[in-house]
Amino acid sequence: MDLKNLTHEQRLAIVRDIYAKRARGDNEPGLFFFHDNATYRLLGSRALIPAAGVRVGKDEIRQAWRAFDIDFEIVNFVVEDFVVDMPRTSYMSWQMTLRHRGTGAVVELEGVDRLKWRDFKIIDWTRYFDTALVAALRQGEEDDPNA
């Protein structure tokens, strides 16, 4: 797939498709875009969110995503915007509805992903979001949209 010659709308469609597949537990389409030794950072404490921390390489990234899926169900994931400064960096803003598989608690999250690229492959991905809100799901605390 030649990312450099795609329009913004085509790139956004690919990103939305990959995230939709990721939400259903299909990690491989997203992993296709990673360099073999890429770094993935899910900010937060591993004590609260076992998938958090820094992972290096596709195998560790795959394991982190699977660890996340053990505790959490992505009920809905919407990519709002995808800003690209190819071939170096891209940013995505997103909204997610997340349910804890053990407690059933649900939260609405917003976040941003920063991706660094080399040769049109991801070399570094950092996800920024309210990890304390996600960790609260373990105690069965739901997000109150009226608060």
Side-chain angles (χ1 to χ4, degrees):
M1 182 176 303
D2 185 8
L3 293 177
K4 62 185 169 189
N5 294 321
L6 298 177
T7 67
H8 177 74
E9 292 76 22
Q10 290 169 322
R11 288 179 180 154
L12 186 56
I14 290 169
V15 167
R16 286 181 172 151
D17 179 60
I18 288 169
Y19 273 72
K21 289 176 179 170
R22 168 71 190 99
R24 293 189 305 268
D26 185 1
N27 298 321
E28 297 311 309
L31 287 170
F32 168 82
F33 289 98
F34 281 85
H35 263 285
D36 289 339
N37 293 314
T39 301
Y40 175 77
R41 291 175 184 81
L42 181 63
L43 300 181
S45 166
R46 278 197 188 175
L48 299 174
I49 304 171
V54 177
R55 309 299 170 100
V56 178
K58 288 184 180 184
D59 287 338
E60 286 188 18
I61 295 167
R62 184 182 290 111
Q63 290 170 11
W65 288 352
R66 287 179 181 159
F68 189 85
D69 293 345
I70 289 170
D71 291 329
F72 303 102
E73 174 190 2
I74 301 171
V75 177
N76 189 38
F77 196 100
V78 176
V79 175
E80 294 177 330
D81 202 4
F82 183 55
V83 179
V84 180
D85 180 16
M86 283 297 201
R88 301 176 311 148
T89 307
S90 63
Y91 295 88
M92 279 177 281
S93 61
W94 50 263
Q95 291 185 353
M96 176 180 0
T97 305
L98 194 62
R99 177 182 298 122
H100 191 274
R101 293 186 189 275
T103 65
V106 176
V107 69
E108 298 288 332
L109 291 172
E110 293 183 3
V112 173
D113 292 351
R114 183 195 67 211
L115 293 82
K116 294 181 181 178
W117 299 78
R118 184 183 313 130
D119 302 324
F120 297 96
K121 290 281 190 178
I122 299 165
I123 59 169
D124 187 88
W125 179 328
T126 303
R127 174 160 279 180
Y128 301 92
F129 65 103
D130 188 344
T131 56
L133 190 56
V134 172
L137 291 175
R138 298 184 95 178
Q139 283 74 45
E141 300 173 23
E142 294 197 35
D143 184 27
D144 182 358
N146 299 316

